[in-house]
Amino acid sequence: MIAKLNSWRKSESAQGVFLLSPTFLFAVALLAAPLIMVLSLSFWTQNYLDLDKTFTLANYKTAWGEPIYQTLMARSLKISLFVTAVTVLLAFPVAYYVSFRVRPEKKALWIFLITIPFWTSYLMRIFLWKVILGYNGVVNGSLLATGIIDTPLSFILYNQNAVVLTLGHAWIPFAILPIFVALEKIDRSLLEAAEDLGDGPVRRFMRVTLPLAMPGVMAATVIVFIPTIGDYVTPRLVGGTNGLMISNMIELQFKKANNAPLGAALALSAMFIVSAIAAVFVFANRKYLKGRD
Amino acid sequence: MFRGKLFGVFIAVFLVFLYAPTLLLPIFAFNDSSIVSFPLKGFTTEWFGVLRDTKPLHVAAKNSLFIALTSAFLATILGTLAARVASRYKFPGKQAAIGFIMVPMVLPEIIIGVSLLVVIIQMGMSLSLWSIILGHVLICTPFCIAILNGAFMNLDQSLEEASFDLGHSKLKTFWLITIPLVMPGLVSSMLISFTISLDEFIIAFFLAGTEPTLPVYIWGQLRFPAKLPSLMALGTILLVLSLFLLGLAEFFRRRGVKRTGQMNSGGFL
C-alpha cells in the first residue's frame, strides 16, 4: 500500500517537474546563463573591436577605485534609498486607507485605480514631470499666478530632487500593493482585543497594526529599492548633470563608449551592493517574518 | 491613528499627484501650440493628423504590435505551465524553481537588457525583433504566473476528478474542463503581458537593432522640441489603448473570480 502510494506520488511529482521544465529552462537559458556570461565578460578586456579573454580584475579596480564611478555609485545609492524611504512612507497611509477605510466591495476598484498610472506610457509619464516641474511648468505657473512666488523656482527640475520625485511616482503602486496585502491579512479581532485591553489608537497601531504589517513594508522596500538603481531614463530626462546615476554610465559603456567589460563590472557591482543592502535590511527585521505561513 | 478629514485630504492630494502626468497628456495632445507648456492656446486635432503622415512611426507601431502579441502569447503559455505546477503539484525544489522564475520581477531591467545583449553578441547573432521578444517574455512570465496562480488556485479539483471518472484522458480533461474554467485568467494574463510589452523601453532600447519599437521611436524623438506635440498625441492614443486593455483584463479577471465563486479581493498582483 505504502509502496503503491509512493510510486503514485513519484509519478505525480515527475509530472510536475515535466510541466515546469519549459518555463524553468527558459529562465535558466535567458537569465542564469546570460548573467554568468556577463560575469565572465567583466573579467575580460575590450581592445577596440576585439575582446581580450585573459582574466583580469582591472575593470573592478576601475569601477571601485576611480572617483567618477565612486561618485555615481554613491549618488545612485543615495537616490535609491531616498526614493525607497519616500515611497514606502507615502504608500503606507494609502494602503492603510484602502484596507481600513474603504468598504470591502470597493477595495478592488481602488487597487485598480492606484495601479492604472503604472501601466501607462512609462516614457511619457517621465517626460511630463519635466513639463510639470520645468521653468515655465505647471508648478511654477500656478505658484506665480497665485502670487506665492515672484520668480520661477529653478531648484525643482534638473536635480536629484526631481529624480526622487519622478522615480517615487513610478514605483509607488509597487509599494502600496504588498503593504495592502499585509494589512488585509490582519485579523481585525486582534485590534478589538488591543482596544479592550486599554490601548489607545496610537499604542494599538504601534503594538499591533505596524508589527503585523511589517512583512508587507519589507517586501515594498525591497521591491522598490532594487529596481530603482537600474533606471537610466528618469535621471537622463529630469536629473540634469548632477542627477545622473550609475545606470547612465552602464548604458554609456555598453553603447557609445564601447567598453562592455567595464559596463558589466559596473552593472554587477551595483547589483551586488543593492542586493547586499537589501539582504542586511531583511535580516535586521527578520523577527517580523516569524510565524508567517 | 489616521483619523478624520485630514486623512481624506491626504488621499485626495495623493491621487492628484498619482494622476497628474496621465491627465496632462491628453490636454497637451489637443493644445493648439507647438510648445508643450502652459498657458494653453486652443483646441486642435492637428497633432493626430501629423501622426497619420509619419511613416517611420507606423513601422515602429507594427514592430511593437508584433512583439507584444508574440510575447503575450508565449509568456502566457509559460506562465500557465508554471502556475498549474505551483497550484497543483508537490515536489522537492518546486518553491526554489518557481522563485527563480519570478526573479525578473525584482531584477533591475537594465541588468536583463545588458545580459541578453551580451549573450546575443557573444553568440554571433544579430539583434532583431526576436531578441526583444525573448526579453519581454522573460519579464512578462512572472506577471502571468501571479495572475494565473489565482485562477488555478480557485479551480475546484473535483470537477477534474469527475471528468477522469467519466473516462476522459488527462489531456482531454485539461482541454475540456480546466482551460474553459481558467479562460478569464488566461485572457487577463495575455492582456497584461501585451500592455507591459507594448510600453517596455529599457530592455527594448538595449536589444533593438535597426528596427525600433514604439517606445524606442518615442525616445529618439523626445530630443526634438518640434516633435513633442505629436508625441503627446501618440501618448494619448497609447494611454487610451492601455486603459481599454487594462479595463478588459480586469473585467475578465473578475468574471473568472465569479465563475469559481470566490470573493473578489484585489487587483492584478
Side-chain angles (χ1 to χ4, degrees):
Chain A
M1 185 66 197
I2 289 171
K4 209 176 163 188
L5 197 73
N6 269 343
S7 78
W8 172 79
R9 266 213 191 126
K10 220 176 193 174
S11 76
E12 192 77 341
S13 356
Q15 213 173 42
V17 173
F18 175 74
L19 279 177
L20 189 61
S21 54
T23 317
F24 183 70
L25 292 178
F26 182 81
V28 169
L30 285 151
L31 191 63
L35 281 176
I36 291 169
M37 216 157 204
V38 172
L39 184 68
S40 42
L41 178 70
S42 70
F43 295 117
W44 297 341
T45 318
Q46 185 88 38
N47 287 328
Y48 300 101
L49 291 174
D50 299 320
L51 267 178
D52 178 359
K53 295 190 179 177
T54 38
F55 180 88
T56 171
L57 286 172
N59 295 314
Y60 285 97
K61 270 189 198 127
T62 314
W64 289 75
E66 298 225 351
I68 174 161
Y69 303 120
Q70 286 177 344
T71 312
L72 278 175
M73 194 75 85
R75 182 193 294 156
S76 306
L77 282 176
K78 194 181 87 185
I79 290 178
S80 285
L81 285 171
F82 260 107
V83 170
T84 311
V86 170
T87 311
V88 172
L89 284 178
L90 199 61
F92 194 93
V94 178
Y96 186 92
Y97 183 85
V98 179
S99 180
F100 282 81
R101 293 282 182 276
V102 174
R103 275 185 288 138
E105 67 272 19
K106 294 262 187 225
K107 282 179 184 174
L109 180 70
W110 269 82
I111 292 296
F112 187 54
L113 271 179
I114 286 165
T115 37
I116 281 178
F118 171 76
W119 301 104
T120 48
S121 282
Y122 166 74
L123 283 178
M124 286 313 211
R125 260 185 298 143
I126 302 172
F127 177 78
L128 281 160
W129 276 110
K130 216 168 128 171
V131 177
I132 295 172
L133 301 173
Y135 197 77
N136 296 315
V138 179
V139 171
N140 275 325
S142 4
L143 288 178
L144 281 173
T146 51
I148 297 174
I149 52 169
D150 308 322
T151 46
L153 306 171
S154 55
F155 65 85
I156 50 177
L157 184 62
Y158 297 129
N159 56 32
Q160 298 174 21
N161 300 335
V163 178
V164 171
L165 180 91
T166 310
L167 277 175
H169 177 263
W171 283 98
I172 198 142
F174 264 127
I176 293 175
L177 286 172
I179 300 176
F180 170 75
V181 170
L183 288 170
E184 281 292 279
K185 276 192 194 155
I186 296 177
D187 187 346
R188 300 301 198 256
S189 59
L190 290 174
L191 302 178
E192 282 168 29
E195 212 156 71
D196 291 346
L197 293 171
D199 272 358
V202 175
R203 262 173 81 90
R204 191 188 68 184
F205 177 80
M206 296 307 289
R207 298 206 319 177
V208 182
T209 316
L210 189 58
L212 287 174
M214 271 311 277
V217 173
M218 287 163 65
T221 308
V222 172
I223 287 174
V224 175
F225 180 62
I226 296 182
T228 39
I229 201 98
D231 194 328
Y232 57 82
V233 178
T234 307
R236 175 80 79 76
L237 283 180
V238 302
T241 43
N242 279 324
L244 289 180
M245 290 167 69
I246 193 75
S247 301
N248 300 98
M249 186 51 91
I250 296 171
E251 189 229 321
L252 184 77
Q253 296 298 342
F254 271 98
K255 296 214 148 187
K256 284 208 186 84
N258 188 30
N259 192 349
L262 180 58
L266 287 169
L268 290 174
S269 303
M271 223 10 243
F272 173 76
I273 295 173
V274 286
S275 307
I277 294 175
V280 168
F281 173 77
V282 171
F283 185 75
N285 289 295
R286 66 190 179 286
K287 66 175 176 186
Y288 295 112
L289 296 177
K290 270 183 201 154
R292 220 175 49 147
D293 49 6
Chain B
M1 200 72 179
F2 304 126
R3 267 170 210 285
K5 269 195 184 147
L6 220 62
F7 198 22
V9 172
F10 169 79
I11 296 297
V13 171
F14 169 77
L15 285 177
V16 170
F17 164 71
L18 195 64
Y19 275 90
T22 317
L23 292 178
L24 283 177
L25 199 54
I27 292 178
F28 286 119
F30 291 106
N31 183 28
D32 192 6
S33 161
S34 55
I35 308 163
V36 176
S37 81
F38 283 99
L40 299 173
K41 290 277 158 47
F43 183 86
T44 178
T45 52
E46 179 195 343
W47 308 120
F48 290 89
V50 172
L51 294 181
R52 203 185 48 224
D53 303 330
T54 316
K55 277 276 164 328
L57 169 70
H58 300 176
V59 176
K62 260 182 217 150
N63 291 341
S64 267
L65 224 53
F66 172 68
I67 290 172
L69 281 172
T70 317
S71 307
F73 184 68
L74 294 176
T76 301
I77 292 180
L78 291 178
T80 307
L81 291 172
R84 173 73 172 172
V85 172
S87 63
R88 181 82 162 70
Y89 295 92
K90 277 202 177 82
F91 54 88
K94 186 188 93 172
Q95 286 307 329
I98 289 176
F100 176 68
I101 294 168
M102 300 298 273
V103 161
M105 226 170 179
V106 284
L107 208 62
E109 286 180 336
I110 192 171
I111 300 282
I112 296 172
V114 159
S115 58
L116 285 175
L117 179 72
V118 166
V119 167
I120 288 167
I121 288 176
Q122 287 293 308
M123 291 177 82
M125 294 185 291
S126 57
L127 295 169
S128 69
L129 296 183
W130 280 97
S131 44
I132 303 177
I133 290 176
L134 290 177
H136 283 182
V137 172
L138 192 65
I139 57 162
C140 288
T141 305
F143 285 93
C144 296
I145 295 175
I147 294 165
L148 288 164
N149 225 348
F152 278 110
M153 286 284 186
N154 293 338
L155 191 69
D156 189 350
Q157 263 188 39
S158 57
L159 294 173
E160 289 176 313
E161 278 157 21
S163 168
F164 288 141
D165 291 346
L166 294 171
H168 278 323
S169 66
K170 277 200 162 169
L171 206 65
K172 206 160 182 195
T173 301
F174 189 72
W175 190 245
L176 287 177
I177 309 293
T178 317
I179 290 286
L181 281 171
V182 295
M183 188 47 98
L186 290 175
V187 174
S188 151
S189 149
M190 264 190 239
L191 289 167
I192 292 287
S193 304
F194 183 88
T195 314
I196 294 175
S197 168
L198 195 67
D199 196 37
E200 203 289 325
F201 169 72
I202 292 184
I203 294 174
F205 185 57
F206 271 98
L207 300 180
T210 46
E211 303 162 286
T213 66
L214 217 42
V216 173
Y217 172 82
I218 292 175
W219 176 252
Q221 303 294 304
L222 277 176
R223 273 174 298 162
F224 308 112
K227 297 284 173 83
L228 290 177
S230 62
L231 288 182
M232 295 291 138
L234 177 59
T236 306
I237 295 176
L238 290 173
L239 174 72
V240 172
L241 182 68
S242 303
L243 283 181
F244 174 70
L245 292 173
L246 290 169
L248 213 59
E250 175 70 5
F251 170 78
F252 276 105
R253 195 191 61 79
R254 285 190 185 192
R255 220 172 79 172
V257 170
K258 253 193 204 142
R259 195 175 282 195
T260 45
Q262 305 288 315
M263 254 283 285
N264 188 10
S265 54
F268 298 115
L269 296 173

